[in-house]
Amino acid sequence: MSESDPEYVKHQYLYVPWTDQFDSFALGKALARYVKDHFRARLTVVCPQKSNAEYHAELAKLPIVTERTGTVADGGVVLAFVPTQKVMAKVHRLSKSIVIMVEDPSERFEAWARLVGAYNVLTRKVMSARLSEAGTKALDGVVWEGYNGWHDSIAEMMTTKHLKDLAELGEYDRAIVIEFAAQRKGEHALKRLEKILDRFERAVPAVA
């Protein structure tokens, strides 16, 4: 696979999924250099710990943002290198940055790639969550009911209603619901949302 495909500079989000077929890490690093050089932009690495980047000599010299330290300035190129959801919380609100996601087998980000419309460098296709206007409205409703972290029974009741709306549309996807909420809510609140999803799926097993 070419590391300098002109298609790579046409998209704001690039997704390098984990695969056993070749070295995804090497491709992701080369891709980040190519995009950075093309736009003559700064390159920032976001990863769980500094050691994730420092293990790679070409990344160790770059600005590194981790789960615990640093923030990402908007603009430029961001290499999300083997990230976690906690790391991605520092990326979600960037609007001017080009984000290159290099996935690790321990945590998958296909739902993220689908929601942001990322270009999959393996399939060479733009990904999509295929949500209708009504489906997006239902997801917005789920997030709205989490204004207090999905803390009470009324929030759960209303959230479940929105989940039923998604199911009726044929658009319920647990990973998409969680990722959509993760881009807007904190980690602790998401744990409560996941419990609501567990109860919903037990009640409506056909959607699980």
Side-chain angles (χ1 to χ4, degrees):
M1 176 176 291
S2 171
E3 296 168 350
S4 57
D5 186 335
E7 191 70 22
Y8 296 155
V9 299
K10 298 178 182 178
H11 305 276
Q12 183 177 8
Y13 302 101
L14 300 165
Y15 175 53
V16 185
W18 172 262
T19 174
D20 292 325
Q21 297 174 1
F22 62 89
D23 189 345
S24 302
F25 296 164
L27 174 61
K29 290 184 292 183
L31 179 57
R33 289 195 303 273
Y34 174 69
V35 175
K36 173 189 74 73
D37 291 344
H38 176 85
F39 290 106
R40 298 181 180 178
R42 69 175 179 272
L43 174 60
T44 302
V45 181
V46 293
C47 53
Q49 301 177 30
K50 271 198 167 186
S51 58
N52 297 115
E54 290 175 340
Y55 179 80
H56 304 266
E58 63 269 57
L59 301 184
K61 301 173 184 177
L62 297 170
I64 300 170
V65 174
T66 71
E67 287 183 352
R68 295 180 177 273
T69 62
T71 57
V72 184
D74 204 0
V77 180
V78 176
L79 175 62
F81 196 70
V82 300
T84 59
Q85 284 289 356
K86 188 176 288 187
V87 167
M88 289 305 291
K90 298 192 174 187
V91 175
H92 290 321
R93 288 176 174 79
L94 301 179
S95 61
K96 301 175 183 177
S97 301
I98 297 169
V99 179
I100 300 169
M101 158 75 72
V102 180
E103 194 178 59
D104 181 80
S106 63
E107 193 158 356
R108 299 302 178 95
F109 283 89
E110 181 183 348
W112 171 85
R114 290 169 60 198
L115 274 174
V116 301
Y119 179 73
N120 187 320
V121 303
L122 300 190
T123 65
R124 299 189 179 188
K125 293 181 180 179
V126 175
M127 302 178 71
S128 172
R130 301 189 183 282
L131 289 165
S132 64
E133 183 177 345
T136 301
K137 183 178 179 180
L139 285 173
D140 281 332
V142 169
V143 171
W144 169 254
E145 297 305 334
Y147 69 93
N148 194 27
W150 296 281
H151 186 68
D152 55 46
S153 58
I154 295 176
E156 177 164 355
M157 178 182 69
M158 295 304 297
T159 297
T160 300
K161 175 186 177 301
H162 295 305
L163 296 176
K164 287 179 179 177
D165 290 343
L166 278 170
E168 288 173 3
L169 291 165
E171 296 178 23
Y172 176 81
D173 183 317
R174 181 188 180 98
I176 291 293
V177 174
I178 293 172
E179 180 60 35
F180 190 90
Q183 294 181 14
R184 296 156 178 83
K185 296 293 181 181
E187 180 183 11
H188 295 298
L190 288 177
K191 291 180 180 178
R192 290 192 288 271
L193 174 60
E194 289 190 48
K195 291 180 180 178
I196 293 174
L197 298 182
D198 289 340
R199 289 190 282 272
F200 172 68
E201 290 174 2
R202 286 196 294 270
V204 189
V207 305

